[in-house]
Amino acid sequence: MVASHERQLRKVLALVNSLALTVGLVCVVTAALLTHQQVLATVLSLIGGAFVSAAAVTLAIGSLTVRETTQQVDSAVLRGMQDVLSPVRDPLFAGALSAYRYDCLISPAPPGDTHPDYVYQSFRISYRIDALPGTVAIVCLASNDDASLDGFTGPEYLLRWMVDDNLDPDDPTVFTVGAVRVDNRDLDRRPATHETVVGGRARVEHFSVPHDAQVTMGHLVELSVTARKFVGNDRRIRVQAQVFRHVTDAEYRLTVDPALKPTRLSVNASEISALGAAHGASVRTTFPEPFNTTAGLIQLPFPLQPGSVMAFTINRDVT
């Protein structure tokens, strides 16, 4: 109600100022035409100048007042939201993954491969995190669509990956973990273990974190993984990555081997849930035609909440 009255008042003031400016200009023009009546011309010139000056000054001051008032209101609202949200955001950001980088290369299976209907997905993932436990894990689940890690009792995991239940997670051609590094140091790999989880079974790769990395804050984590994805004769391949914890400043890159005969690459980040204002996002193919079918990029400089999904859809020629 107050805002409505304020808008009406501003409209009335703007109308009055416009009328005053119009009257002033008419008086000035009339005075210029009445050169043979010096007294009347002088009076009209003075009156017109006064109207024009008053209208111009009023319009200038009015615009400045509105702008200053808007800035003060915006500043007050921003400070109030920061005071309210800071206690909530700080704990979330304390455990968030920052400078998150996700690179994926999709390539076809070579001749004679035991799973010719599955492509290879080679990943390189890196991010920064404040603290690490003594042991971390990478989990591969061989399961159905209802699988969950709710029953997982192992250490904190860096990555989890799901494969079809007809595949063996112990087969290195199905799932392989390459180097896992913290602060440019390779972590020691422990023997893999197996866990029974909701909806399937899991292979767990364990890695020991050095003691000095456990007691200090701020670390760069890097890991590489190769996994399989079923495509068969599908004309469309969908590759998606889901966030399971808070992430800031994320970039997702996908590269497609030309041997898969891609005809179109679509990039989609419509299922993201931002923690705050979602400004500055960039979703695009990396290269111009005709190479825009082989690489895509998603840049999200704002914080993401768990559950956010980034997706790439590849159309290909299967003839």
Side-chain angles (χ1 to χ4, degrees):
M1 183 65 72
V2 175
S4 177
H5 288 307
E6 183 178 355
R7 286 194 297 269
Q8 293 179 358
L9 180 60
R10 290 179 180 176
K11 290 180 180 179
V12 172
L13 291 175
L15 179 60
V16 171
N17 288 330
S18 300
L19 289 175
L21 183 60
T22 303
V23 171
L25 292 174
V26 169
C27 291
V28 172
V29 172
T30 303
L33 296 176
L34 297 176
T35 56
H36 59 284
Q37 298 182 16
Q38 295 183 355
V39 176
L40 182 58
T42 302
V43 172
L44 289 176
S45 178
L46 292 174
I47 295 174
F51 271 107
V52 171
S53 299
V57 171
T58 303
L59 287 172
I61 293 177
S63 63
L64 289 174
T65 302
V66 172
R67 186 160 54 251
E68 290 176 354
T69 302
T70 303
Q71 291 176 350
Q72 291 177 358
V73 171
D74 289 345
S75 178
V77 172
L78 179 60
R79 288 196 302 269
M81 293 183 64
Q82 288 176 341
D83 292 341
V84 174
L85 295 178
S86 290
V88 179
R89 289 165 59 96
D90 290 345
L92 298 179
F93 288 159
L97 309 180
S98 62
Y100 192 89
R101 300 294 180 266
Y102 169 103
D103 290 280
C104 176
L105 169 64
I106 298 183
S107 55
D113 189 89
T114 55
H115 304 288
D117 291 334
Y118 288 78
V119 296
Y120 279 95
Q121 292 182 283
S122 301
F123 298 92
R124 181 190 178 278
I125 299 173
S126 66
Y127 53 83
R128 292 191 174 277
I129 190 171
D130 286 343
L132 286 170
T135 304
V136 293
I138 295 178
V139 184
C140 176
L141 291 87
S143 54
N144 54 42
D145 292 338
D146 297 328
S148 171
L149 284 180
D150 292 342
F152 178 60
T153 58
E156 179 179 345
Y157 54 86
L158 301 178
L159 173 73
R160 71 178 188 181
W161 186 260
M162 183 181 295
V163 298
D164 293 341
D165 54 6
N166 62 303
L167 299 179
D168 182 5
D170 291 324
D171 185 348
T173 66
V174 171
F175 186 81
T176 302
V177 180
V180 178
R181 299 166 61 87
V182 170
D183 300 332
N184 298 318
R185 293 183 295 177
D186 291 337
L187 299 187
D188 293 332
R189 189 193 304 256
R190 296 180 181 178
T193 61
H194 297 81
E195 292 263 352
T196 299
V197 298
V198 178
R201 65 188 189 281
R203 171 186 172 89
V204 186
E205 298 273 2
H206 302 264
F207 297 87
S208 300
V209 179
H211 177 71
D212 56 344
Q214 301 174 39
V215 297
T216 57
M217 299 295 291
H219 305 285
L220 173 63
V221 178
E222 303 170 274
L223 56 100
S224 59
V225 173
T226 299
R228 303 300 292 269
K229 179 178 179 63
F230 177 83
V231 296
N233 290 322
D234 293 346
R235 295 180 179 272
R236 302 184 67 187
I237 305 174
R238 178 181 171 88
V239 179
Q240 70 177 38
Q242 186 172 10
V243 174
F244 291 98
R245 58 191 300 175
H246 294 93
V247 171
T248 65
D249 185 24
E251 289 188 8
Y252 291 80
R253 294 184 178 88
L254 176 76
T255 304
V256 184
D257 191 319
L260 286 172
K261 300 180 180 179
T263 58
R264 181 185 179 188
L265 176 62
S266 302
V267 187
N268 185 2
S270 61
E271 300 179 47
I272 61 173
S273 178
L275 184 63
H279 295 307
S282 178
V283 178
R284 65 187 186 276
T285 52
T286 307
F287 305 113
E289 294 183 355
F291 305 105
N292 58 348
T293 60
T294 60
L297 172 66
I298 301 175
Q299 294 175 308
L300 305 170
F302 46 83
L304 298 177
Q305 297 190 63
S308 299
V309 175
M310 281 56 65
F312 301 87
T313 303
I314 307 162
N315 292 7
R316 65 185 185 125
D317 181 9
V318 296
T319 59

